[in-house]
Amino acid sequence: MRRIVLFAALLVGLLAAAAGTASILAGQKAPPITQVGVQVLGPQRLGPLPPVVHPPGNPPSSAKIQLGKELYFDPRLSADGTISCATCHDPALGWSDKGPTSEGIHGQFGGRRAPPVSNAAYSPLQFWDGRSPSLEDQAKGPIQNPIEMGNTHEAMIQTVSAIGAYQSEFKAVFGTGPITVDQVADAIAAFERTVVTTDSRFDRYARGDHNALTKLEKEGLEIFNGKAHCTGCHWGPYFSDGRFHNLGLPPKDPKNPDVGRYAVTKDHRDMGAFKTPTVRDAARRPPYLHDGSEKTLESLIDFYDKGGGKGPNLDPLMVPLGLARHEKAALVAFIKSLDSLNPEVADVKAPALRDLPH
Amino acid sequence: MKRTLTALFTGAFALLVLSQAALAIPAFARKYGANCSQCHVAFPKLNDWGQRFRDNGYQVPGQQGSEKTAFETAIPVAFRTNAGYSLYGTGGQTASGFHIYGLDLLSAGVLHKNISYLFVYTPRIDEPAADYNGPAAGDNPAQLAAIESAAVVFSNIIRDKLNIRIGRFEPGFQLLSSKRLYYILQPYEIYGFAGTHSSFDFSASQIGIEATGRFKPGLKYALGYINGTGANPDNNRWNDVYLALSKTFGRGEGQSAGQRIGVFGYLGWQPTTFVDPIVSPGGDINGKDNRNFYRIGGDISLNWHTFNLQGMGFYAVDDRDFNDLDPALDYKFWGGVVQLDWAGLPNNRLVGSLMFNWVRPPGYDDVHKVDAYSALVRYYLGSWSAVNIAIHAEFTHRVAGTIGPVREDLVTILLDFDF
C-alpha cells in the first residue's frame, strides 16, 4: 500500500510538471517585440558591427540622408526654434548630451538621460523603455514631447513646408505631394543609420590586429567577458542585448517613480527596467545610467561591483562582482578602447542655422 | 614490496578519483562566447551568477525563451581530464608516477524554453591499474564507466519557485557541491562515509525526481524523492527522501557574495540482504530486509572580498543492521569540512585553498576516524572562452584510525584540461 501511495505521488508530480510545462508552451503568444531582430538568436559574441540593415519601407539614398541630416540639426522643428535633435544628441558629446538628464524647450528637464544616436540603428527598440519599434517611429516622438521640442506634428510640418529649399529637397526624395511627418521621420532615420562606428581599437583587435589593444585593455576584455559579467547584458557587436533590466536605482521621486519598461508592457517584472545601452563610445558620453546618476566610468563600475543599487525589483543578473582595483582599471581601459575612430561620425558638425535650408 | 606499494598507491587513487568527478561545462561558454569566469569563481566552482544560471535550468536568469537551443549552437559537448605526477607516502614507504586521473564527457543545453538537459558520461579507463593485464582482465580500472548525470530540467513551472529535475542528477542537499570543488584528489570525506555494512554515498548522483525553487528574500529549497542507492536499476524497493533549505543574506547566492546558511535532512533505506547476486531479468530488485538511516546537518558559506569560507557538517545514524562492529547498536557518526578558498589575479586566474576534513565514528570504531588536511594552488594559463588549462598542485595529509593510525601523504601536480 505504501509503495502504491508513493508511486501515485510520484506520478502526480510528474504529471504536474508535464502539465505545467505544457501549459507554458500552449500559452505562448506571439514573440514579444523584445525578441524581434538581433535578439532572436540570443547572446552573441563581441565583435565588429555588421553592415546596417535598412528597412524595406525606407531605403536610403544620398539625397534622403542629406535631407535627414539637415532636419536632424534644424532647431526649427521645435515649437520655439531653439531645440533640434542634435541639442540632446550632440555628435560632440558622443551623440548624447552633458546630462545628467536632458534639457528641452523652455529650460525644462526630462527625467532620463539622452540615449546615444550613434549605432542606434542596431537597437531593435528605441527609447529607454523601448516604446518605439524603429528609428522612424522614434524620430516623431520628441517633436511633440512637451518638455523636449514642445511642438505638434502639424505645426512642425507647416514650418518645414514653408521653407523653400526643403520643399525642393522633399520633392526630390519623396516625389510630389505635401510634406508629411512620416517623410520627416524617414529622412531623419535614414541619416541616423549612417551614424555608425565601425572602427575602434577593439574592432581592430577583433579583426586580428593583436597589437591594437594594450595588455591592460586585453585584461579588461577578459574581465568584461568573464568575472564582471558585463556580457550578460552587453553582448554582441552592438554591446547590448537590447533588453530591459532593473539595476536597482532608487527612484528620485518615490511618489512618482520612473516605471521604465513597465509603462509599455504593464508587466510588473518590467517595473523600473530600462534598455541596455551600448558600451561603444561610452567613454565619450558621461554621465551614465538612464538617470545620469553615475558621473564617471569608475563610479559606474563601482556601482556594478556592489551588485547595483538598493531599489526594488533588482534584475537577477545583478550580483556583487568582487572586483579588485586593478580589475576595475582594466575594465575602464577596455571600455575606452571602444571609442570609435570613425572621423566621419565623430567629427560631424552641427551646421549653423544660416547654412540650413531657407 | 614494490607490487604491494604500487597496489596501495593505485588503490588510494582509485578510491579518491572514483569518489568524485568535477563538473564544468565549456559548451555553455562556447554558446555565449563568454569566459569561464562568467559562471565560475574559477573553474569548476560556481560563482553567484553561475549558480543562478544553473538554478534557472541553464538559462540566463530572466532571459528564458530567448535562448539559443542546443540545436542552434555549436555541438554542446565538452571534455574534462587531468593528468600529472603524484607522490604518495605512508609508513615510510613512497610511490610515485604519472597518471591520468579521469575523463568526463559532458553535454548540456536548452531544448526548449524552460526545458534543458545535462548529460555526463565517464568512460571506463583501464589504465593505470596495478594488476592491469589487458582489457579483458583489467579488473582494477582507473575509472569505471558510468552515466554520472542524465537529467532533464523543467524550469519555472512556477516562476522561480518550482523547477523539476528528473533523471540522474546531483541532489540538491549537497549545498557544498562535491562535483564542483577545486580539489581533484581530495573529496569531502564525510560524504563518502557510512556504516560499516552500508554502501550509501552522500555524494553520489541519484536517480529520481527533485523539486527546487527560490523565494524572496534569498530562501531556497530542494525536495527530492530518489532511489538512494545510486544503482541502476535500484537494488531495493524503498526510495529515499530529502529536504534542504538555505537562506542567503545580502546580495548573491553565497557562492562568491552574500552569506549563506543551510540545513538539510535525508531519510533513506538500504537493503541488508540480497536474494540473488544480480538483478532479475524482470527488473525486480533483489535487496531485502531494508533498514533505514538518516543524515541531518547544515552548512555555511561566508564571503569577504575574494575569500570564501565554507563549512559543512552532519550527524548520521545508520541502523544497527549496518553495524558490523556492534550489531546491538545503531552506527552513529558525525563529521564535516571547513574550507577556505581565495581567488586572485585578474579574472581569478590564481586560486588557493585550505581544507580540513574530519569524520568521527562511534568510540568503539578505532579504524574509521579521519582527519585530513589539504591545501592547493591552481593557476589558469589563460582566460579563454570555453577552454581551461590550469596547473594544479594539491597536498593532503590524512590520518585514519585511532589505534596505530595510518598516516598518508599525497602530493600531486597536474594539468587540468577542459574544453
Side-chain angles (χ1 to χ4, degrees), chain B residues 5-44:
Chain B
L5 258 182
T6 309
L8 182 66
F9 178 58
T10 308
F13 270 109
L15 182 70
L16 293 172
V17 175
L18 292 178
S19 64
Q20 59 179 334
L23 282 178
I25 306 170
F28 290 142
R30 267 192 287 281
K31 171 179 174 180
Y32 297 108
N35 189 289
C36 302
S37 56
Q38 180 132 324
C39 284
H40 298 272
V41 178
F43 156 80

Side-chain angles (χ1 to χ4, degrees), chain A residues 111-125:
Chain A
R112 299 174 184 171
R113 175 127 182 73
V117 162
S118 56
N119 300 314
Y122 295 94
S123 181
L125 297 172

Side-chain angles (χ1 to χ4, degrees), chain B residues 60-78:
Chain B
V60 175
Q63 309 295 300
Q64 49 271 22
S66 53
E67 292 267 346
K68 290 179 185 173
T69 67
F71 315 108
E72 297 170 303
T73 60
I75 299 171
V77 173

Side-chain angles (χ1 to χ4, degrees), chain B residues 339-390:
Chain B
Q339 182 179 343
L340 177 64
D341 296 338
W342 167 82
L345 294 184
N347 241 6
N348 296 345
R349 285 176 62 177
L350 181 65
V351 166
S353 178
L354 301 171
M355 181 166 73
F356 171 57
N357 277 275
W358 74 95
V359 176
R360 295 292 179 266
Y364 52 83
D365 183 342
D366 55 15
V367 176
H368 292 107
K369 178 187 176 187
V370 174
D371 291 295
Y373 307 85
S374 305
L376 70 73
V377 177
R378 286 170 69 88
Y379 176 70
Y380 298 82
L381 299 184
S383 260
W384 304 304
S385 171
V387 175
N388 262 291
I389 304 176

Side-chain angles (χ1 to χ4, degrees), chain A residues 6 10 14 21 25 41-43 45 222 225-227 229 231 243 269 307-309 314 316-320 327, chain B residues 30 32-35 37-38 47 49 52 60 63 66 68 112 115 154 159 166 209 225 251 346-348 383:
Chain A
L6 288 173
L10 178 61
L14 282 168
T21 304
L25 301 180
L41 287 177
R45 292 170 187 274
E222 292 172 357
N225 199 25
K227 181 177 177 180
H229 310 149
T231 46
R243 297 171 185 160
R269 289 172 293 188
L314 186 69
L317 294 175
M318 297 292 289
V319 292
E327 291 173 317
Chain B
R30 267 192 287 281
Y32 297 108
N35 189 289
S37 56
Q38 180 132 324
N47 61 25
W49 207 92
R52 288 183 182 175
V60 175
Q63 309 295 300
S66 53
K68 290 179 185 173
H112 195 284
I115 303 175
F154 299 90
R159 187 181 173 87
I166 300 171
I209 182 169
Y225 183 65
R251 297 254 167 103
N347 241 6
N348 296 345
S383 260

Side-chain angles (χ1 to χ4, degrees), chain A residues 61-84:
Chain A
S61 68
S62 56
K64 187 189 286 184
I65 291 167
Q66 177 59 30
L67 173 60
K69 182 176 179 181
E70 291 163 357
L71 291 166
Y72 182 89
F73 287 104
D74 196 333
R76 289 171 294 183
L77 269 61
S78 66
D80 65 355
T82 60
I83 306 290
S84 71

Side-chain angles (χ1 to χ4, degrees), chain A residues 290-306:
Chain A
H290 76 271
D291 61 356
S293 55
E294 293 299 338
K295 292 185 172 61
T296 64
L297 280 177
E298 288 78 5
S299 70
L300 176 70
I301 289 169
D302 283 339
F303 171 83
Y304 280 111
D305 188 41
K306 292 172 187 165

